[in-house]
Amino acid sequence: MSFIRNIFDAINNNLISGGAYYLIAKSVIVTIILVMIAWTVTVVIGSVLSYFMSYHKRGISGLAHATSFIFRSTPVVLLLLLFYYVVFKRLVFSVTLISGIAIGLYGAGHFAQIIARQVREAKKHQDIAVIRRLKQVYFTVTLPQTVEDTLFMIKRLAILLLQWTTIVGYISVNDLTEVMTRIGQRTMYPFFSIFVCIIFYLIMTILIEGMFYAIKKKLTGEEDSYEDEDTDIFKRARNNSKEQYDSLDISEEITDTEEEDEYESMLEKEDEYESKLEEEDEYDSMLEEKESTLQQEDTSVEPENEDFLLFTQDLAKQVEEEFAEELTHMEGIYTREEELEEFNKDE
């Protein structure tokens, strides 16, 4: 019971008492406004920089590259202090607006680099006429297509900008992190306030992930970003077939259902081929077994055949000996005609 009582006391002291809930709600709104300002500056300034970095001459392109490098390489805290104490010191600007601009410029440097790099890779596969046409429709065609191709990196940049909003307390912006830190110092129980702040940023990150997932699903029609090996093989085969058709200047489009049927037929043929190989292996093994059994039978019959041959050879010898004796006996006996001839010769 004491543990539950401590939890209720922490909730009451950190989130309810002293108007804490009002300060927390106000700080949440300030944080959301900061993110929106930062993203507006990131997209606008980053798009302009990427245009000059991609489709202009060496001087303007080099200046744009240098600006992007400065924005993305300078620590966000130093940009924040520079804009608050130097650039906008004499101007009556909201502290929240100054913070959003500083974070947005940091994001603009990264955004411009991401877009310009993708455009530069695409230009390697295009001719001069296409490059000129894409330069004319950069903000209406080229930029949206490039954003679609680099959606994952832009999502990471959005989460990074959300996390950088935690440092705006350096110039006294009452964001969620600053308010929860002050509440933890007042109640002498900082763990609970920091834990609540972490939970808020985790929820915001999940919302950003869901937003980009919905955008990707709407643009590409994919329901899941993780694909198994079969779909990877199918996509690689489809890309290879498209490249072959493009090289042959064939303008016919193959539908997804036909491609799936072809892929399934390929898999069926592979299964049939494997089954045939298995049957051939089984047949070969049966033949080997039969040959081994025949050899065993031959080896078992050999001694019997040898005995039979020896017996027949002995019998033939005996017959020849008896026949030879009969011949010699027959040679010693004369017939009547022979006797008469002998008698006539003697006379």
Side-chain angles (χ1 to χ4, degrees):
M1 293 298 293
S2 61
F3 177 73
I4 297 174
R5 189 182 301 110
N6 290 331
I7 292 175
F8 277 106
D9 291 339
I11 293 172
N12 184 34
N13 294 330
N14 290 277
L15 303 180
I16 299 173
S17 64
Y21 61 90
Y22 174 75
L23 294 174
I24 293 171
K26 188 176 178 180
S27 65
V28 168
I29 295 171
V30 170
T31 304
I32 294 172
I33 293 171
L34 268 173
V35 173
M36 294 174 64
I37 294 171
W39 254 108
T40 303
V41 175
T42 295
V43 173
V44 174
I45 305 298
S47 300
V48 174
L49 286 175
S50 65
Y51 172 73
F52 289 117
M53 291 166 65
S54 303
Y55 290 102
H56 270 274
K57 294 182 180 180
R58 218 173 261 182
I60 299 174
S61 176
L63 182 62
H65 275 283
T67 306
S68 172
F69 176 77
I70 292 170
F71 285 160
R72 70 175 183 268
S73 301
T74 305
V76 182
V77 178
L78 298 180
L79 281 175
L80 198 66
L81 298 175
L82 177 67
F83 276 76
Y84 181 70
Y85 289 109
V86 179
V87 178
F88 298 110
K89 183 178 181 180
R90 298 182 181 276
L91 299 177
V92 183
F93 274 9
S94 173
V95 183
T96 304
L97 180 62
I98 295 172
S99 303
I101 292 171
I103 298 171
L105 290 176
Y106 173 81
H110 287 280
F111 186 83
Q113 184 191 26
I114 293 169
I115 300 298
R117 183 178 180 183
Q118 185 68 23
V119 172
R120 186 168 58 252
E121 291 294 327
K123 284 170 65 177
K124 294 179 181 179
H125 308 285
Q126 298 166 355
D127 55 10
I128 297 174
V130 174
I131 291 172
R132 289 177 180 174
R133 179 59 181 165
L134 291 176
K135 179 182 176 182
Q136 295 173 358
V137 293
Y138 179 79
F139 292 101
T140 57
V141 177
T142 307
L143 182 63
Q145 182 62 41
T146 308
V147 170
E148 180 180 346
D149 295 336
T150 58
L151 202 61
F152 177 74
M153 289 184 285
I154 294 173
K155 179 186 71 174
R156 293 175 60 186
L157 180 60
I159 296 171
L160 182 63
L161 294 182
L162 172 66
Q163 294 172 354
W164 276 118
T165 59
T166 57
I167 65 168
V168 294
Y170 279 98
I171 56 174
S172 302
V173 178
N174 292 323
D175 69 311
L176 182 64
T177 305
E178 178 67 19
V179 170
M180 296 307 294
T181 303
R182 290 206 305 265
I183 291 173
Q185 292 173 356
R186 175 176 60 83
T187 59
M188 301 300 293
Y189 193 61
F191 171 77
F192 186 82
S193 59
I194 294 172
F195 179 76
V196 171
C197 191
I198 291 171
I199 293 297
F200 168 79
Y201 277 98
L202 289 176
I203 293 171
M204 289 290 292
T205 303
I206 292 171
L207 291 176
I208 292 172
E209 292 272 358
M211 181 180 66
F212 276 90
Y213 174 78
I215 293 170
K216 182 180 179 181
K217 185 178 178 181
K218 186 175 181 180
L219 293 175
T220 61
E222 296 178 359
E223 294 184 356
D224 193 2
S225 59
Y226 299 99
E227 300 168 346
D228 55 2
E229 295 179 356
D230 293 336
T231 55
D232 287 338
I233 295 170
F234 172 68
K235 285 193 171 182
R236 286 197 295 269
R238 184 172 67 179
N239 292 329
N240 292 330
S241 63
K242 285 183 178 179
E243 289 177 357
Q244 292 176 359
Y245 278 105
D246 292 337
S247 63
L248 296 173
D249 294 331
I250 297 174
S251 60
E252 295 180 356
E253 295 181 356
I254 302 173
T255 58
D256 293 337
T257 55
E258 292 177 354
E259 291 172 353
E260 291 176 357
D261 294 336
E262 291 179 359
Y263 178 67
E264 290 177 357
S265 64
M266 288 171 62
L267 291 178
E268 290 176 357
K269 289 179 181 178
E270 290 180 358
D271 294 335
E272 291 177 358
Y273 181 70
E274 291 178 356
S275 62
K276 287 181 180 179
L277 290 176
E278 291 177 356
E279 291 177 357
E280 290 179 357
D281 294 334
E282 292 178 357
Y283 182 71
D284 293 335
S285 62
M286 290 173 64
L287 288 176
E288 290 177 356
E289 291 178 357
K290 287 182 179 179
E291 290 177 357
S292 62
T293 52
L294 289 173
Q295 290 177 358
Q296 291 176 0
E297 290 177 357
D298 293 337
T299 54
S300 61
V301 172
E302 282 179 358
E304 296 178 358
N305 293 334
E306 289 178 356
D307 296 335
F308 180 74
L309 290 173
L310 294 172
F311 174 74
T312 53
Q313 289 176 358
D314 295 336
L315 182 62
K317 286 180 180 180
Q318 292 177 2
V319 171
E320 287 178 355
E321 291 175 356
E322 292 177 357
F323 186 70
E325 291 177 356
E326 289 180 358
L327 287 175
T328 54
H329 179 71
M330 290 297 293
E331 288 178 354
I333 299 174
Y334 296 99
T335 60
R336 291 179 179 180
E337 293 178 352
E338 291 176 348
E339 290 178 356
L340 289 174
E341 289 178 357
E342 293 288 334
F343 181 73
N344 291 326
K345 286 179 181 181
D346 293 332
E347 289 180 354

Coordinates of all heavy atoms in Angstrom, one line a residue, residues 246-311:
D246 N 13.2 -2.1 -71.7 CA 13.7 -0.7 -72.0 C 14.8 -0.7 -73.0 O 14.9 0.1 -73.9 CB 14.1 0.0 -70.7 CG 12.9 0.3 -69.8 OD1 11.8 0.3 -70.3 OD2 13.1 0.4 -68.6
S247 N 15.7 -1.7 -72.9 CA 16.8 -1.8 -73.8 C 16.4 -2.1 -75.2 O 17.0 -1.8 -76.2 CB 17.9 -2.8 -73.3 OG 17.3 -4.1 -73.3
L248 N 15.3 -2.9 -75.3 CA 14.7 -3.2 -76.6 C 13.7 -2.2 -77.2 O 13.1 -2.5 -78.2 CB 14.1 -4.6 -76.5 CG 15.0 -5.8 -76.2 CD1 14.2 -7.1 -76.0 CD2 16.0 -6.0 -77.3
D249 N 13.5 -1.1 -76.4 CA 12.6 -0.1 -76.8 C 11.1 -0.6 -76.9 O 10.4 -0.3 -77.9 CB 13.0 0.6 -78.1 CG 14.3 1.3 -78.0 OD1 14.5 1.8 -76.8 OD2 15.0 1.5 -79.0
I250 N 10.8 -1.5 -76.0 CA 9.4 -2.0 -76.0 C 8.6 -1.3 -75.0 O 9.0 -1.2 -73.9 CB 9.4 -3.5 -75.7 CG1 10.2 -4.3 -76.8 CG2 8.0 -4.1 -75.6 CD1 10.4 -5.8 -76.5
S251 N 7.5 -0.7 -75.4 CA 6.7 0.2 -74.6 C 5.6 -0.6 -73.9 O 4.8 0.1 -73.2 CB 6.1 1.3 -75.4 OG 5.3 0.8 -76.5
E252 N 5.4 -1.9 -74.1 CA 4.3 -2.6 -73.5 C 4.6 -2.8 -72.0 O 5.7 -3.0 -71.6 CB 4.2 -4.0 -74.1 CG 3.7 -3.9 -75.6 CD 3.6 -5.3 -76.2 OE1 3.9 -6.3 -75.4 OE2 3.1 -5.4 -77.3
E253 N 3.6 -2.6 -71.2 CA 3.8 -2.8 -69.7 C 3.2 -4.1 -69.3 O 2.1 -4.5 -69.7 CB 3.0 -1.6 -69.0 CG 3.6 -0.3 -69.3 CD 2.8 0.8 -68.6 OE1 1.8 0.5 -67.9 OE2 3.2 2.0 -68.7
I254 N 4.0 -4.7 -68.4 CA 3.5 -6.0 -67.9 C 2.8 -5.8 -66.6 O 3.3 -5.1 -65.7 CB 4.8 -6.9 -67.7 CG1 5.5 -7.1 -69.0 CG2 4.4 -8.3 -67.1 CD1 6.8 -7.9 -68.9
T255 N 1.6 -6.3 -66.5 CA 0.9 -6.1 -65.2 C 1.4 -7.0 -64.1 O 2.2 -8.0 -64.3 CB -0.6 -6.5 -65.5 OG1 -0.6 -7.9 -65.9 CG2 -1.2 -5.7 -66.6
D256 N 1.1 -6.6 -62.9 CA 1.6 -7.3 -61.7 C 1.1 -8.7 -61.7 O 1.8 -9.7 -61.3 CB 1.2 -6.6 -60.5 CG 1.9 -5.2 -60.4 OD1 3.0 -5.1 -61.0 OD2 1.4 -4.3 -59.7
T257 N -0.2 -9.0 -62.1 CA -0.7 -10.3 -62.0 C 0.0 -11.2 -63.0 O 0.3 -12.4 -62.7 CB -2.2 -10.3 -62.4 OG1 -2.4 -9.6 -63.7 CG2 -3.0 -9.5 -61.4
E258 N 0.3 -10.7 -64.2 CA 1.1 -11.6 -65.2 C 2.4 -11.9 -64.6 O 2.9 -13.0 -64.8 CB 1.2 -10.9 -66.5 CG -0.2 -10.7 -67.2 CD -0.1 -10.0 -68.5 OE1 1.1 -9.4 -68.8 OE2 -1.0 -9.9 -69.3
E259 N 3.1 -10.9 -64.0 CA 4.4 -11.1 -63.5 C 4.4 -12.2 -62.3 O 5.2 -13.0 -62.2 CB 5.0 -9.8 -63.0 CG 5.3 -8.9 -64.1 CD 5.7 -7.5 -63.6 OE1 5.6 -7.3 -62.4 OE2 6.2 -6.7 -64.4
E260 N 3.3 -12.1 -61.5 CA 3.2 -13.0 -60.4 C 3.0 -14.4 -61.0 O 3.5 -15.4 -60.5 CB 2.1 -12.6 -59.5 CG 2.4 -11.4 -58.7 CD 1.2 -10.9 -57.9 OE1 0.1 -11.6 -58.0 OE2 1.3 -9.9 -57.1
D261 N 2.1 -14.5 -62.0 CA 1.9 -15.8 -62.7 C 3.2 -16.4 -63.2 O 3.5 -17.6 -63.1 CB 0.8 -15.7 -63.8 CG -0.5 -15.4 -63.2 OD1 -0.7 -15.6 -62.0 OD2 -1.3 -14.8 -63.9
E262 N 4.0 -15.6 -63.9 CA 5.2 -16.0 -64.4 C 6.2 -16.5 -63.3 O 6.9 -17.5 -63.5 CB 5.9 -14.9 -65.2 CG 5.2 -14.6 -66.5 CD 5.9 -13.5 -67.3 OE1 6.9 -12.9 -66.8 OE2 5.4 -13.1 -68.4
Y263 N 6.2 -15.8 -62.2 CA 7.1 -16.1 -61.1 C 6.6 -17.5 -60.5 O 7.4 -18.3 -60.2 CB 7.0 -15.0 -60.1 CG 7.9 -15.3 -58.9 CD1 9.2 -15.4 -58.9 CD2 7.2 -15.5 -57.6 CE1 10.0 -15.6 -57.8 CE2 8.0 -15.8 -56.5 CZ 9.4 -15.8 -56.6 OH 10.1 -16.1 -55.5
E264 N 5.3 -17.6 -60.4 CA 4.8 -18.9 -59.8 C 5.1 -20.1 -60.8 O 5.4 -21.1 -60.3 CB 3.3 -18.8 -59.6 CG 2.9 -17.8 -58.4 CD 1.4 -17.7 -58.3 OE1 0.7 -18.3 -59.1 OE2 1.0 -17.0 -57.3
S265 N 4.9 -19.8 -62.1 CA 5.3 -20.9 -63.0 C 6.7 -21.3 -63.0 O 7.1 -22.4 -63.1 CB 4.9 -20.5 -64.5 OG 5.7 -19.4 -64.9
M266 N 7.6 -20.3 -62.8 CA 9.0 -20.5 -62.6 C 9.3 -21.4 -61.4 O 10.1 -22.4 -61.5 CB 9.8 -19.2 -62.5 CG 9.9 -18.5 -63.9 SD 10.6 -16.8 -63.6 CE 12.2 -17.2 -63.0
L267 N 8.6 -21.1 -60.3 CA 8.8 -21.9 -59.1 C 8.3 -23.3 -59.3 O 8.9 -24.2 -58.8 CB 8.1 -21.2 -57.9 CG 8.6 -19.9 -57.4 CD1 7.8 -19.3 -56.3 CD2 10.1 -20.0 -56.9
E268 N 7.2 -23.5 -60.0 CA 6.6 -24.8 -60.2 C 7.6 -25.6 -61.1 O 7.8 -26.8 -60.9 CB 5.3 -24.7 -60.9 CG 4.2 -24.2 -60.0 CD 2.9 -24.0 -60.7 OE1 2.8 -24.2 -62.0 OE2 1.9 -23.6 -60.1
K269 N 8.2 -25.0 -62.1 CA 9.1 -25.7 -63.0 C 10.4 -26.1 -62.2 O 10.9 -27.2 -62.4 CB 9.6 -24.8 -64.1 CG 8.5 -24.6 -65.2 CD 9.0 -23.7 -66.3 CE 7.9 -23.5 -67.3 NZ 8.3 -22.6 -68.4
E270 N 10.8 -25.2 -61.3 CA 12.0 -25.6 -60.4 C 11.6 -26.8 -59.5 O 12.4 -27.7 -59.4 CB 12.4 -24.4 -59.6 CG 13.0 -23.3 -60.4 CD 13.4 -22.1 -59.5 OE1 13.1 -22.2 -58.3 OE2 14.0 -21.2 -60.1
D271 N 10.4 -26.8 -59.0 CA 10.0 -27.9 -58.1 C 9.9 -29.2 -59.0 O 10.3 -30.3 -58.5 CB 8.6 -27.6 -57.5 CG 8.7 -26.5 -56.5 OD1 9.8 -26.2 -56.0 OD2 7.6 -25.8 -56.3
E272 N 9.3 -29.2 -60.2 CA 9.3 -30.4 -61.0 C 10.7 -30.9 -61.4 O 10.9 -32.1 -61.4 CB 8.5 -30.0 -62.3 CG 7.0 -29.8 -62.1 CD 6.3 -29.4 -63.4 OE1 7.0 -29.3 -64.4 OE2 5.1 -29.2 -63.4
Y273 N 11.6 -29.9 -61.7 CA 12.9 -30.4 -62.0 C 13.6 -31.0 -60.8 O 14.3 -32.1 -61.0 CB 13.7 -29.1 -62.4 CG 15.2 -29.4 -62.8 CD1 15.5 -30.1 -64.0 CD2 16.2 -29.0 -62.0 CE1 16.8 -30.4 -64.3 CE2 17.5 -29.3 -62.3 CZ 17.8 -30.0 -63.5 OH 19.1 -30.2 -63.8
E274 N 13.4 -30.5 -59.6 CA 14.0 -31.1 -58.4 C 13.4 -32.5 -58.2 O 14.1 -33.4 -57.8 CB 13.7 -30.2 -57.2 CG 14.6 -28.9 -57.3 CD 14.3 -28.0 -56.1 OE1 13.4 -28.3 -55.3 OE2 14.9 -26.9 -56.0
S275 N 12.1 -32.6 -58.4 CA 11.4 -33.9 -58.2 C 12.0 -35.0 -59.2 O 12.2 -36.1 -58.8 CB 9.9 -33.8 -58.3 OG 9.6 -33.4 -59.6
K276 N 12.2 -34.5 -60.5 CA 12.8 -35.4 -61.4 C 14.2 -35.9 -61.0 O 14.6 -37.0 -61.2 CB 12.8 -34.8 -62.8 CG 11.5 -34.6 -63.4 CD 11.6 -34.0 -64.8 CE 10.2 -33.9 -65.5 NZ 10.3 -33.2 -66.8
L277 N 15.0 -34.9 -60.6 CA 16.3 -35.3 -60.1 C 16.3 -36.3 -59.0 O 17.1 -37.2 -58.9 CB 17.1 -34.0 -59.6 CG 17.5 -33.0 -60.8 CD1 18.1 -31.8 -60.1 CD2 18.5 -33.7 -61.7
E278 N 15.3 -36.1 -58.0 CA 15.2 -37.1 -56.9 C 14.8 -38.4 -57.4 O 15.3 -39.5 -57.0 CB 14.1 -36.6 -55.9 CG 14.6 -35.3 -55.2 CD 13.5 -34.8 -54.3 OE1 12.4 -35.4 -54.3 OE2 13.8 -33.8 -53.5
E279 N 13.9 -38.5 -58.4 CA 13.5 -39.8 -59.0 C 14.7 -40.5 -59.7 O 14.9 -41.7 -59.6 CB 12.4 -39.6 -60.0 CG 11.0 -39.2 -59.3 CD 10.0 -38.9 -60.3 OE1 10.3 -39.0 -61.5 OE2 8.8 -38.6 -59.9
E280 N 15.5 -39.7 -60.4 CA 16.6 -40.3 -61.1 C 17.7 -40.8 -60.1 O 18.3 -41.9 -60.3 CB 17.3 -39.2 -62.0 CG 16.5 -38.8 -63.2 CD 17.1 -37.8 -64.0 OE1 18.2 -37.3 -63.6 OE2 16.6 -37.4 -65.1
D281 N 17.8 -40.1 -59.0 CA 18.7 -40.6 -57.9 C 18.2 -41.9 -57.4 O 19.0 -42.8 -57.1 CB 18.9 -39.5 -56.8 CG 19.6 -38.2 -57.4 OD1 20.3 -38.4 -58.3 OD2 19.4 -37.2 -56.8
E282 N 16.9 -42.0 -57.1 CA 16.4 -43.2 -56.6 C 16.5 -44.3 -57.6 O 16.9 -45.5 -57.2 CB 14.9 -43.0 -56.3 CG 14.6 -42.0 -55.1 CD 13.1 -41.8 -54.9 OE1 12.3 -42.4 -55.7 OE2 12.8 -41.1 -53.9
Y283 N 16.3 -44.1 -58.9 CA 16.5 -45.1 -59.9 C 18.0 -45.6 -60.0 O 18.2 -46.8 -60.0 CB 16.1 -44.6 -61.2 CG 16.1 -45.6 -62.4 CD1 15.3 -46.6 -62.5 CD2 17.1 -45.4 -63.4 CE1 15.4 -47.5 -63.5 CE2 17.2 -46.3 -64.4 CZ 16.3 -47.4 -64.5 OH 16.4 -48.3 -65.5
D284 N 18.9 -44.7 -59.9 CA 20.3 -45.0 -59.9 C 20.7 -45.9 -58.7 O 21.4 -46.9 -58.8 CB 21.2 -43.8 -59.9 CG 21.0 -43.0 -61.2 OD1 20.7 -43.6 -62.3 OD2 21.3 -41.8 -61.2
S285 N 20.1 -45.5 -57.5 CA 20.4 -46.3 -56.3 C 19.8 -47.7 -56.5 O 20.5 -48.7 -56.1 CB 19.8 -45.6 -55.1 OG 18.4 -45.5 -55.2
M286 N 18.6 -47.9 -57.1 CA 18.0 -49.2 -57.3 C 18.9 -50.0 -58.2 O 19.1 -51.2 -58.0 CB 16.6 -49.1 -57.8 CG 15.6 -48.5 -56.8 SD 14.0 -48.2 -57.6 CE 13.5 -49.8 -58.1
L287 N 19.4 -49.4 -59.3 CA 20.3 -50.1 -60.2 C 21.5 -50.6 -59.5 O 22.0 -51.7 -59.8 CB 20.6 -49.2 -61.4 CG 19.5 -48.9 -62.4 CD1 20.0 -48.0 -63.5 CD2 19.0 -50.3 -63.1
E288 N 22.1 -49.8 -58.7 CA 23.3 -50.2 -58.0 C 23.0 -51.4 -57.1 O 23.9 -52.3 -57.0 CB 23.8 -49.0 -57.2 CG 24.4 -47.9 -58.1 CD 24.9 -46.7 -57.3 OE1 24.6 -46.7 -56.1 OE2 25.4 -45.7 -57.9
E289 N 21.9 -51.3 -56.4 CA 21.5 -52.4 -55.5 C 21.4 -53.7 -56.3 O 21.8 -54.8 -55.9 CB 20.3 -52.1 -54.8 CG 20.4 -51.0 -53.7 CD 19.1 -50.7 -53.0 OE1 18.1 -51.3 -53.4 OE2 19.1 -49.8 -52.1
K290 N 20.7 -53.6 -57.5 CA 20.5 -54.8 -58.3 C 21.9 -55.4 -58.8 O 22.1 -56.6 -58.8 CB 19.7 -54.5 -59.5 CG 18.2 -54.3 -59.2 CD 17.4 -54.1 -60.4 CE 15.9 -53.9 -60.0 NZ 15.1 -53.7 -61.3
E291 N 22.8 -54.5 -59.3 CA 24.1 -55.0 -59.7 C 24.9 -55.7 -58.6 O 25.5 -56.7 -58.8 CB 24.9 -53.8 -60.2 CG 24.3 -53.3 -61.6 CD 25.1 -52.0 -62.0 OE1 26.0 -51.6 -61.3 OE2 24.8 -51.5 -63.1
S292 N 24.8 -55.1 -57.4 CA 25.5 -55.7 -56.3 C 24.9 -57.1 -55.9 O 25.7 -58.0 -55.7 CB 25.4 -54.8 -55.0 OG 24.0 -54.6 -54.6
T293 N 23.6 -57.3 -56.0 CA 23.0 -58.6 -55.7 C 23.4 -59.6 -56.8 O 23.7 -60.7 -56.5 CB 21.5 -58.4 -55.7 OG1 21.0 -57.7 -56.9 CG2 21.0 -57.6 -54.5
L294 N 23.4 -59.1 -58.1 CA 23.8 -60.0 -59.2 C 25.2 -60.5 -59.0 O 25.6 -61.6 -59.3 CB 23.6 -59.3 -60.5 CG 22.1 -59.1 -61.0 CD1 22.1 -58.3 -62.3 CD2 21.4 -60.5 -61.2
Q295 N 26.1 -59.6 -58.6 CA 27.5 -59.9 -58.4 C 27.6 -60.9 -57.3 O 28.4 -61.9 -57.4 CB 28.3 -58.7 -58.1 CG 28.5 -57.8 -59.3 CD 29.2 -56.5 -58.9 OE1 29.6 -56.3 -57.8 NE2 29.5 -55.7 -59.9
Q296 N 26.8 -60.8 -56.3 CA 26.9 -61.7 -55.2 C 26.4 -63.1 -55.6 O 27.0 -64.1 -55.3 CB 26.0 -61.2 -54.0 CG 26.6 -60.0 -53.3 CD 25.6 -59.5 -52.2 OE1 24.6 -60.1 -52.0 NE2 26.1 -58.4 -51.6
E297 N 25.3 -63.1 -56.5 CA 24.9 -64.4 -57.0 C 25.9 -65.1 -57.9 O 26.1 -66.3 -57.8 CB 23.6 -64.2 -57.8 CG 22.4 -63.8 -56.9 CD 21.1 -63.5 -57.7 OE1 21.2 -63.6 -58.9 OE2 20.1 -63.3 -57.1
D298 N 26.6 -64.3 -58.7 CA 27.6 -64.8 -59.6 C 28.7 -65.4 -58.8 O 29.3 -66.5 -59.1 CB 28.1 -63.7 -60.5 CG 27.1 -63.3 -61.5 OD1 26.1 -64.0 -61.8 OD2 27.2 -62.1 -62.0
T299 N 29.1 -64.7 -57.8 CA 30.2 -65.2 -56.9 C 29.8 -66.5 -56.2 O 30.6 -67.4 -56.0 CB 30.6 -64.2 -55.9 OG1 29.4 -63.8 -55.2 CG2 31.2 -63.0 -56.6
S300 N 28.5 -66.6 -55.9 CA 28.0 -67.9 -55.2 C 27.9 -69.0 -56.2 O 28.0 -70.2 -55.8 CB 26.7 -67.6 -54.5 OG 25.7 -67.3 -55.5
V301 N 27.7 -68.7 -57.5 CA 27.5 -69.8 -58.5 C 28.8 -70.3 -59.0 O 29.0 -71.5 -59.4 CB 26.6 -69.3 -59.6 CG1 26.6 -70.3 -60.8 CG2 25.2 -69.1 -59.1
E302 N 29.8 -69.5 -59.0 CA 31.1 -69.8 -59.5 C 31.7 -71.1 -59.0 O 32.2 -72.0 -59.8 CB 32.1 -68.7 -59.3 CG 31.9 -67.6 -60.3 CD 32.8 -66.4 -60.0 OE1 33.6 -66.5 -59.1 OE2 32.8 -65.4 -60.8
P303 N 31.7 -71.4 -57.7 CA 32.3 -72.6 -57.2 C 31.5 -73.8 -57.7 O 32.1 -74.9 -58.1 CB 32.2 -72.5 -55.7 CG 31.3 -71.4 -55.4 CD 31.4 -70.5 -56.6
E304 N 30.2 -73.8 -57.8 CA 29.4 -74.9 -58.3 C 29.8 -75.2 -59.8 O 29.9 -76.3 -60.2 CB 27.9 -74.6 -58.2 CG 27.5 -74.5 -56.7 CD 26.0 -74.1 -56.7 OE1 25.4 -74.0 -57.7 OE2 25.5 -74.0 -55.5
N305 N 29.9 -74.1 -60.6 CA 30.3 -74.3 -62.0 C 31.7 -74.9 -62.2 O 31.9 -75.8 -63.0 CB 30.2 -73.0 -62.8 CG 28.8 -72.5 -62.9 OD1 27.8 -73.3 -62.8 ND2 28.7 -71.2 -63.0
E306 N 32.6 -74.6 -61.3 CA 33.9 -75.1 -61.4 C 33.9 -76.6 -61.1 O 34.6 -77.4 -61.8 CB 34.8 -74.4 -60.4 CG 35.1 -72.9 -60.8 CD 36.0 -72.2 -59.8 OE1 36.2 -72.8 -58.7 OE2 36.3 -71.1 -60.0
D307 N 33.2 -77.0 -60.1 CA 33.1 -78.5 -59.7 C 32.5 -79.2 -60.9 O 32.9 -80.3 -61.3 CB 32.2 -78.7 -58.5 CG 32.9 -78.0 -57.3 OD1 34.1 -77.9 -57.3 OD2 32.2 -77.7 -56.3
F308 N 31.5 -78.7 -61.6 CA 30.8 -79.4 -62.7 C 31.8 -79.5 -63.9 O 31.8 -80.6 -64.5 CB 29.6 -78.6 -63.1 CG 28.8 -79.2 -64.3 CD1 28.1 -80.3 -64.1 CD2 28.9 -78.6 -65.5 CE1 27.4 -80.9 -65.2 CE2 28.3 -79.2 -66.6 CZ 27.5 -80.3 -66.4
L309 N 32.6 -78.5 -64.1 CA 33.5 -78.6 -65.2 C 34.6 -79.6 -65.0 O 35.0 -80.4 -65.9 CB 34.2 -77.2 -65.4 CG 33.3 -76.1 -66.0 CD1 34.0 -74.8 -66.0 CD2 32.9 -76.5 -67.5
L310 N 35.1 -79.7 -63.8 CA 36.1 -80.7 -63.4 C 35.5 -82.1 -63.6 O 36.2 -83.0 -64.1 CB 36.6 -80.5 -62.0 CG 37.4 -79.2 -61.7 CD1 37.6 -79.1 -60.2 CD2 38.7 -79.3 -62.5
F311 N 34.2 -82.3 -63.2 CA 33.6 -83.6 -63.3 C 33.5 -84.0 -64.8 O 33.8 -85.1 -65.2 CB 32.3 -83.6 -62.7 CG 31.5 -84.8 -62.9 CD1 31.8 -86.0 -62.2 CD2 30.4 -84.8 -63.7 CE1 31.0 -87.1 -62.4 CE2 29.7 -86.0 -63.9 CZ 30.0 -87.1 -63.2

